[in-house]
Each structure stands twice: as C-alpha cells, then as structure tokens.
C-alpha cells in the first residue's frame, strides 16, 4: 500500500481482476494522483471474494470520498475460453446451410444448438424469403420446456441492412418465453454473417455470468458503504456503465489487457510505446501510438472464436511469474503455458507443505521424484455431485480435504505409479479448476535469488535445490536457463505481434531458412563476420509485479529502453479508471439500384431503413441518427458532457459506413 486517503474529497476506485492477482487503486480525480494501492490473490472459483478483499484493504477514510468505481475483468474471456458460458440456442435466419457446412463454419458459432430458418434479406435490404417466425418460436419453446437452454441468440442474413426479421423474432420470443434474447444487429453492423452470429451467441452465453459478477461487486460496495456509479472497462479500453455492459457482456472480452495499456499510457505519459504487461498467468502486449491504444481492424478473438467486437490490438501468451516449470527428458526447462500456485505461496499458507519441501533437500537423488514438486489442493469445497463422477474422484477429495498433497503422495495412497493411471474424470477436475495445482515457477526462482520475496523463501529455496538434484543442474544454471528461455519467448512474440508473422519452430539452419539463426545471432552474437540485430524504435513500458525482473533482458535484446512508471505493478487497476466513456453508433449508406442504375440511397442506422433520392440528405440523416443515438447511450453509460466525433469510410462501390462516437469523461457521483 501507499498513502492513506485522508484529505482527498473526490476519489475514484479502480479494480482489475487478473488470473493471479486482483489489484486495487485509489486515484484522486482532480489531481490524477495515485493515493493508495493494494493487491489480493484472485479467487478464481469466486471472484467476488478477491474484489471484497481489495475493498477492505484499501485505506478509505470515508466511504463518501469514493465518487466512482470501475472494474476490468477477465471474467468474459475466461468463461468463453474455458467453455463456462450458459447454454444458448442460435437461430440462423436466411443463412445457406450448404455454404456453412462446405466451409466447416458451424464450429465457429460457439454453440452446438443451432438451426437454420427461412427469412433474412439481401444486399439491397430487401426480403429474400418470408420469415419462418412460428417455426422459430416452436423450436425455442420446445428447448425451453425441456430445460436445455438458458438464452437465445438470433442472427439474420444482412440484418445490418434491414433488421426487421430480427426484431419480429424478438417480439415473438419475448411473448412466448422468459429467456433472454440477443439480436446480432444490436452488437455489430459488420456484414460478416458468421462473426455476427458468433458474437450474438457468445453475448447470450455471458449474460448471466457478468450480471452475477456485477451484482456481487455492487454488494461488496454496499458492505463498505460505497454509493457511487459502477463502470466496467470494455475490450477497447473505454468505460461503460455496468447496467449497459450487463446487456452486452461480450464487449468486455480482453478488458484486463486493455486496461493495462490505458494505465501504462496514463502513468508514463508516453505517446508512443510498446506496453508489455507480465503477470502471473500471461504476458500481454499492446501498442500506444499518437497517445492512443491501437485498435484492431478485425474482431477480438477468444480461443477458437472470432467475434465482431472491436477491441484493442492485443497479443497474449501463456507466460508469467506463475507459469509451471517442468523438465524434458534431457533436463531442459519447459515454462508454461499452464499457471500453477508457486510452491513459495503454498508453503507460506500450509505448514505441513513447508516441512515437506524443506525435507526434500536432505533426500538422496534416488528417493526424489518430479512428482514431489507438484501439489494438488482444493480451492473450494466441491459440490457433492462431482464426487459421483468416478470412485477415484471421491478418494482424491478425501485425501485433499485436510490440505494439499504432493502428487507423489496421492499416487502412493491410490496405489498407482504414474499420473497417467489416474482416471480421466480426475484429470478433468484440474482442467475445470475444481482441483488446483501448485508447482515450481519463476516466482519460486525469484524467491531463491531474493529479487522478489512475498512468501516463504526458505521453502522456495528447498524446492529449487530439489529440482536441481533431479536435473543435475546448479541453481545458478537453472535460473539462468529459465531467464534465457523467457527472454527468447518474449522477444519472439514481440516480433510476431508487430510483424503479424509467425517464426517457424526452432530447427537447424537448412533449406535456406535462416530465421532462427538470425534471431539467435541477434540475441547472442557469435558469428565471426556477421553482426545482426533487431531494434525496436520505441521504448517498452513494463507493467506487472515482476516487470522489473523479467523484462530488462528483453528490452536489451530489442535495443531499446525499459520504462517502469510509478505504480507499474498495478497499472491495470489505474487503467480501469483512467479511460473515457465512448459510445459508438454506425449507419450504413448504400445505393438503391434499378437495372444497375443508382436511383437513390438507403440508410440503415439501427432504427429501420430509410430511403433518400440523393446522397447528401442520406448522409445528413445518418449523422443525425447516429449522433443522437451515440449521445443518448454515452449519457446513459455515465459520461459527463460528451462530445461527438464522426468518421466516414467507404464500404464498397457507392456505399459508406458512418460511425458516430460520443466521448466524455465518466460522471462522478455526488
């Protein structure tokens, strides 16, 4: 923590929930001064616990000082990536089943419950076939009656040009069922029908998840007596009112990394830089150019799904301070992508784990196993029905009920000799995070060197020594090897991110491919005649608790400067309150053709289709319609005195896309 909040009348509170830590920041809104900071371990099984812990730990003298609370969260991203969203039925209206199946596009929809119906419109916004309204209602009603779905998504062909069929379906379904219904055109005006359907599905799957989380945060605020507006960071780094984002939760995909980039810009004051946020679970990258976080031209991707939601141009890799360190058959370290609890933290929390780890350093090599450095634990009491999956599941739960156990102990108790003998049902518990993993991590190595000490250093040192006994390495060799691999990985991923090209897998110089030789000779100059280097022509802003330890080498390899701004370890939480409120509305202007001749223009601006004889009045109507709508949404989302910015782009021959953005700072509470 830093300073107390006494003497500050207008404070804003930023909270970021990452994979490892939940960070909190108090910011003086008038002076932009960081007043207090805190960190709490993220309770992945129940995010409300860590948010509540942050509110309790921050030094808030009077709850009335808090005028705004804003959160960034990985909740939406994790729910999609891990398949934890709610069950959704997707009605595809006017789509071509043969085309979808021929190109295997159905796997992108995000749900196995989809069905094709007649209807939809054409490129001119005209009806391509009558809508099968009754058939859609019957299908959804049957699924709802059998309890097979939690929400409905509807995507009609060319609905950005004419949303009549989607609106009719919405009216019919809301009369026939109590399920939430999401319409594709309300989330995206892009004409990519597959991405629009995917976005609608994912949004429907997240409705209940994000709503529950927002309600839990509001409850935690109430317990602390905080009565202030609640906002959420979207994937482009802008802010939106919690009520509005509860209806469009898919827009919070990549919320956390976007907040980090905004916080880096705010704290450093730099207008051009590469932001690298290295946390416990992932390393995230973004570019700041002309003082703004760069926005991706294509929709945000989560796992296998490409959405139509525009967000910050980000690059994430599964590498961080809590990445699991394992070893190959020839004793080479493998780092990540799986995140585990550092052994230093587990020993800090459980005395019996500490004693066991300290005892490892006294064992002979023949009595040691890699499984002695892997622990299983229960983050929370599992539901009773989970025990019934397999007899071995119940046995494992019984072993873990009294605290963490090493994998070696678990195998011995179950009379097994290899982890592969564990039932698939047991291995699934780890994937679902019902059983947590702890193991050797870079954080433990940092405890060994003393460069980062938060928990039990003595136990971490014992674990490092035991790992070295298993691999016949010295601790210094192991640490140097891990740092070298992490540096190489970060530099390689920086090049992939900035060039949008993938470096091939490491292999020997052959067939004229010398990319790896060039790469390695740049990092470790060795050729007697050739000097190669890759130089980044902007500084790196380091974000995250281990940034000062793990990013210095990467900056040197890229021939640039590492900037560590004040409060760099909690810049993501700063970004949660440093952004602006932005509401965007789009209109599509396209020609009315008769015998290939333009006889007028149509405007579709989300409130129906309107025809004009000439382009100028069509464009003027589009500006008014989108501007009024964007201003109304910005005000409803909590903006103070927003202003309008318009952008017009070509969208094909004689067609245009007009985007209105209402931009304002968040309005503070009384």
């Amino acid at each position: 923590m830093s300073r107390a909040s006494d003497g500050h009348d207008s404070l804003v509170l930023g909270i970021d929930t990452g994979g490892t830590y939940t960070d909190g920041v108090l910011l003086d809104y008038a002076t932009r001064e960081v007043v207090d900071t805190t960190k709490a371990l993220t309770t992945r099984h129940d995010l409300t616990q860590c948010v509540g812990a942050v509110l309790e730990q921050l030094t808030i003298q009077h709850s009335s000082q808090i005028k705004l609370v804003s959160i960034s969260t990985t909740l939406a991203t994790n729910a999609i990536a891990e398949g934890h969203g709610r069950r959704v039925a997707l009605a595809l209206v006017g789509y071509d089943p043969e085309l979808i199946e021929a190109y295997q596009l159905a796997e992108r929809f995000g749900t196995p419950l989809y069905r094709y119906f007649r209807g939809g419109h054409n490129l001119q916004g005209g009806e391509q076939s009558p809508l099968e309204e009754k058939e859609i209602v019957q299908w959804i009603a049957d699924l709802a009656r059998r309890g097979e779905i939690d929400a409905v998504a509807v995507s009609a062909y060319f609905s950005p040009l004419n949303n009549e069929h989607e609106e009719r379906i919405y009216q019919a379904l809301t009369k026939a069922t109590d399920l939430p219904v999401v319409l594709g055109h309300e989330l995206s005006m892009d004409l990519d029908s597959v991405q629009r359907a995917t976005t609608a599905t994912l949004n429907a799957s997240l409705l209940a998840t994000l709503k529950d989380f927002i309600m839990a945060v509001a409850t935690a605020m109430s317990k602390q007596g905080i009565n202030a507006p609640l906002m959420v960071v979207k994937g482009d780094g802008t802010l939106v009112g919690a009520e509005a984002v509860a209806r469009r939760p898919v827009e919070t995909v990549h919320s956390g990394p976007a907040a980090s980039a905004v916080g880096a810009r705010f704290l450093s004051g730099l207008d051009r830089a590469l932001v690298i946020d290295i946390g416990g679970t992932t390393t995230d990258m973004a570019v700041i150019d002309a003082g703004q976080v760069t926005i991706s031209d294509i929709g945000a991707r989560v796992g296998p799904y490409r959405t139509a939601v525009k967000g910050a141009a980000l690059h994430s890799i599964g590498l961080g301070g809590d990445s699991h360190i394992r070893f190959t058959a020839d004793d080479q370290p493998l780092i990540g992508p799986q995140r585990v609890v550092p052994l230093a933290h587990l020993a800090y929390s459980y005395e019996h784990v500490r004693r066991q780890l300290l005892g490892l350093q006294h064992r002979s090599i023949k009595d040691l196993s890699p499984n002695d450095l892997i622990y299983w634990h229960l983050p929370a009491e599992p539901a009773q029905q989970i025990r019934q999956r397999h007899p071995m599941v119940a046995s494992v739960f019984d072993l873990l009920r009294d605290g963490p156990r090493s994998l070696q102990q678990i195998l011995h108790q179950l009379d097994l000799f290899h982890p592969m003998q564990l039932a698939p049902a047991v291995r699934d518990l780890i994937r679902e995070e019902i059983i947590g993993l702890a193991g050797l991590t870079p954080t433990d190595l940092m405890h060994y060197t003393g460069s980062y000490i938060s928990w039990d250093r003595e136990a971490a040192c014992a674990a490092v020594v035991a790992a070295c006994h298993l691999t016949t390495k010295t601790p210094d060799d192991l640490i140097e090897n891990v740092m070298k691999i992490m540096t190489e990985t970060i530099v390689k991923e920086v090049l992939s991110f900035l060039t949008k090209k993938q470096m091939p897998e490491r292999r020997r110089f052959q067939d004229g491919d010398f990319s790896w030789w060039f790469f390695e000779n740049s990092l470790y100059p060795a050729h007697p005649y050739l000097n190669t280097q890759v130089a980044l022509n902007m500084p790196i802003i380091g974000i995250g608790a281990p940034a000062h330890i793990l990013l210095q080498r990467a900056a040197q390899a890229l021939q640039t400067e590492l900037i560590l701004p004040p409060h760099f370890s909690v810049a993501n939480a700063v970004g949660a309150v440093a952004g602006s409120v932005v509401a965007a509305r789009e209109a599509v202007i396209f020609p009315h053709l008769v015998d290939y001749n333009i006889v007028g223009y149509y405007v579709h601006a989300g409130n129906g289709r309107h025809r004009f004889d000439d382009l100028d009045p069509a464009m003027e109507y589009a500006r008014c319609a989108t501007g009024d709508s964007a201003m109304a949404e910005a005000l409803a989302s909590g903006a103070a005195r927003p202003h309008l910015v318009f952008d017009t782009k070509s969208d094909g021959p004689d067609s245009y896309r007009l985007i209105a953005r209402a931009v304002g700072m968040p309005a503070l509470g009384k």
Side-chain angles (χ1 to χ4, degrees):
M1 289 188 183
S2 57
R3 297 174 297 279
S5 63
D6 198 25
H8 298 271
D9 295 328
S10 294
L11 296 174
V12 290
L13 168 60
I15 300 173
D16 174 80
T17 58
T20 302
Y21 281 107
T22 292
D23 299 338
V25 165
L26 283 178
L27 193 72
D28 187 301
Y29 194 76
T31 65
R32 313 305 272 175
E33 174 193 2
V34 175
V35 174
D36 197 11
T37 67
T38 192
K39 280 179 174 288
L41 283 171
T42 295
T43 47
R44 293 165 68 92
H45 61 284
D46 182 3
L47 293 177
T48 62
Q49 293 184 18
C50 50
V51 171
V54 163
L55 292 179
E56 291 175 3
Q57 292 171 18
L58 286 169
T59 309
I60 303 171
Q61 298 296 329
H62 307 287
S63 59
S64 60
Q65 293 174 287
I66 307 300
K67 306 300 183 183
L68 176 76
V69 178
S70 184
I71 55 176
S72 59
T73 176
T74 59
L75 188 62
T77 309
N78 292 345
I80 294 171
E82 298 166 8
H84 293 164
R86 304 302 172 92
R87 301 166 300 171
V88 177
L90 171 62
L92 298 162
V93 182
Y95 283 60
D96 184 344
E98 293 182 2
L99 182 66
I100 296 293
E101 301 304 325
Y103 289 94
Q104 298 180 326
L105 300 175
E107 62 190 29
R108 302 185 190 177
F109 287 146
T111 178
L113 287 171
Y114 61 88
R115 184 174 290 187
Y116 302 98
F117 298 92
R118 292 173 58 205
H121 294 80
N122 57 34
L123 191 55
Q124 289 293 304
E127 186 177 79
Q128 67 178 7
S129 60
L131 176 63
E132 290 187 325
E133 183 178 318
K134 292 181 180 179
E135 290 80 355
I136 294 172
V137 172
Q138 186 61 55
W139 179 55
I140 296 300
D142 290 344
L143 290 172
R145 186 175 60 255
R146 295 195 298 267
E148 296 179 10
I149 57 174
D150 304 302
V152 181
V154 180
S155 185
Y157 216 55
F158 282 117
S159 61
L161 302 183
N162 193 328
N163 58 20
E164 178 194 353
H165 284 185
E166 286 191 4
E167 292 290 349
R168 281 175 54 188
I169 296 168
Y170 178 84
Q171 295 298 329
L173 287 177
T174 51
K175 291 179 181 178
T177 177
D178 293 330
L179 294 174
V181 180
V182 172
L183 304 181
H185 81 274
E186 292 185 338
L187 297 167
S188 172
M189 292 291 284
D190 288 349
L191 298 183
D192 187 321
S193 58
V194 174
Q195 282 192 24
R196 194 167 61 254
T198 301
T199 306
T201 300
L202 297 180
N203 194 75
S205 75
L206 295 169
L207 286 171
T209 303
L210 202 64
K211 181 180 178 182
D212 290 347
F213 177 58
I214 289 172
M215 289 180 63
V217 173
T219 300
M221 289 169 56
S222 179
K223 286 183 179 178
Q224 296 297 317
I226 298 173
N227 181 21
L230 176 61
M231 309 202 81
V232 181
V233 180
K234 297 198 295 185
D236 60 1
T238 61
L239 306 181
V240 64
E243 248 182 64
V245 84
R247 299 190 298 273
R248 300 160 71 105
V250 72
E251 293 183 347
T252 66
V253 164
H254 299 320
S255 164
S260 294
V262 172
R265 163 70 180 85
F266 178 87
L267 292 172
S268 69
L270 295 178
D271 289 335
R272 191 168 183 267
L274 173 67
V275 178
I276 302 182
D277 179 1
I278 184 160
T281 306
T282 62
T283 295
D284 303 310
M285 304 175 190
V287 170
I288 297 171
D289 201 354
Q292 300 293 322
V293 180
T294 55
I295 303 299
S296 175
D297 292 332
I298 57 178
R301 176 182 286 277
V302 185
Y305 305 121
R306 172 72 70 186
T307 73
V309 175
K310 296 297 188 289
L314 302 167
H315 186 69
S316 298
I317 56 175
L319 182 75
D322 296 347
S323 294
H324 193 190
I325 299 176
R326 295 158 294 131
F327 297 92
T328 63
D330 58 350
D331 294 341
Q332 291 303 306
L334 295 173
I335 309 168
Q338 185 177 38
R339 179 255 177 197
V340 296
V341 174
L343 291 173
H345 180 262
L346 199 71
Y348 176 82
S349 304
Y350 297 94
E351 177 61 28
H352 75 276
V353 173
R354 182 178 193 275
R355 291 196 303 269
Q356 290 168 7
L357 290 175
L358 293 178
L360 293 180
Q361 56 193 334
H362 304 301
R363 287 197 202 173
S364 62
I365 295 178
K366 66 181 180 65
D367 292 330
L368 274 176
S369 164
N371 295 329
D372 286 314
L373 294 175
I374 300 174
Y375 276 77
W376 289 14
H377 64 100
L378 292 177
E381 182 65 27
Q384 182 61 33
Q385 62 265 29
I386 297 176
R387 294 177 59 92
Q388 301 168 0
R389 292 185 182 179
H390 190 279
M392 195 179 287
V393 170
S395 299
V396 170
F397 284 163
D398 290 340
L399 288 174
L400 299 179
R401 179 157 285 111
D402 295 328
R405 294 288 179 268
S406 72
L407 181 54
Q408 187 70 0
Q409 290 175 311
I410 292 170
L411 294 176
H412 177 73
Q413 291 291 327
L414 297 178
D415 200 22
L416 305 174
F417 62 88
H418 195 278
M420 288 303 296
Q421 293 176 279
L422 292 165
V426 176
R427 296 196 293 269
D428 285 345
L429 297 176
I430 294 174
R431 178 182 57 80
E432 299 170 29
E433 296 186 348
I434 295 170
I435 289 178
L437 284 185
L440 190 68
T441 67
T443 296
D444 294 303
L445 302 189
M446 287 185 275
H447 274 72
Y448 182 92
T449 63
S451 58
Y452 178 83
I453 302 174
S454 288
W455 301 305
D456 195 318
R457 185 185 182 192
E458 191 178 4
C461 291
V464 171
V465 170
C468 290
H469 286 164
L470 287 165
T471 59
T472 65
K473 293 181 181 293
T474 68
D476 288 345
D477 288 341
L478 173 61
I479 292 166
E480 175 61 26
N481 206 355
V482 167
M483 290 294 293
K484 178 181 175 181
I485 292 171
M486 294 185 76
T487 298
E488 287 182 0
T489 301
I490 291 170
V491 172
K492 182 170 74 73
E493 294 297 334
V494 167
L495 297 181
S496 295
F497 174 44
L498 297 179
T499 64
K500 296 181 172 60
K501 299 181 185 299
Q502 290 295 320
M503 187 178 293
E505 291 299 316
R506 181 190 295 270
R507 55 184 177 180
R508 278 194 267 169
F509 170 57
Q510 59 183 8
D511 299 329
D513 178 7
F514 60 92
S515 58
W516 262 108
W517 174 86
F518 188 99
F519 177 74
E520 289 190 320
N521 197 61
S522 298
L523 265 66
Y524 319 110
H527 198 278
Y529 310 125
L530 293 173
N531 178 32
T532 59
Q533 69 175 25
V534 177
L536 185 66
N537 62 0
M538 54 184 170
I540 292 173
I541 303 176
I543 297 302
H548 62 298
I549 302 168
L550 299 179
L551 292 181
Q552 190 62 59
R553 287 190 179 197
Q556 292 171 355
L558 289 166
Q559 311 288 317
T560 192
E561 181 184 8
L562 174 64
I563 305 293
L564 298 170
H567 309 290
F568 66 89
S569 66
V570 292
N572 39 16
V574 173
V577 288
S580 302
V581 178
V582 178
R585 282 290 182 266
E586 293 186 29
V588 180
I589 301 98
F590 55 99
H592 178 195
L593 299 176
V594 176
D595 296 330
Y596 301 102
N597 295 313
I598 298 176
V599 297
Y601 289 88
Y602 288 113
V603 177
H604 189 82
N607 57 345
R609 190 170 57 143
H610 300 267
R611 186 191 177 283
F612 297 86
D613 291 334
D614 298 303
L615 180 59
D616 286 346
M619 295 292 287
E620 182 60 27
Y621 173 81
R623 285 176 62 91
C624 292
T626 55
D628 290 347
S629 181
M631 285 292 283
E633 181 179 339
L635 291 169
S637 295
R641 299 182 298 279
H643 64 276
L644 282 171
V645 179
F646 292 96
D647 185 20
T648 304
K649 300 177 180 179
S650 175
D651 203 36
D654 298 301
S655 298
Y656 306 90
R657 185 175 294 267
L658 187 145
I659 305 169
R661 292 184 176 88
V663 184
M665 295 303 292
L668 302 187
K670 300 295 185 183

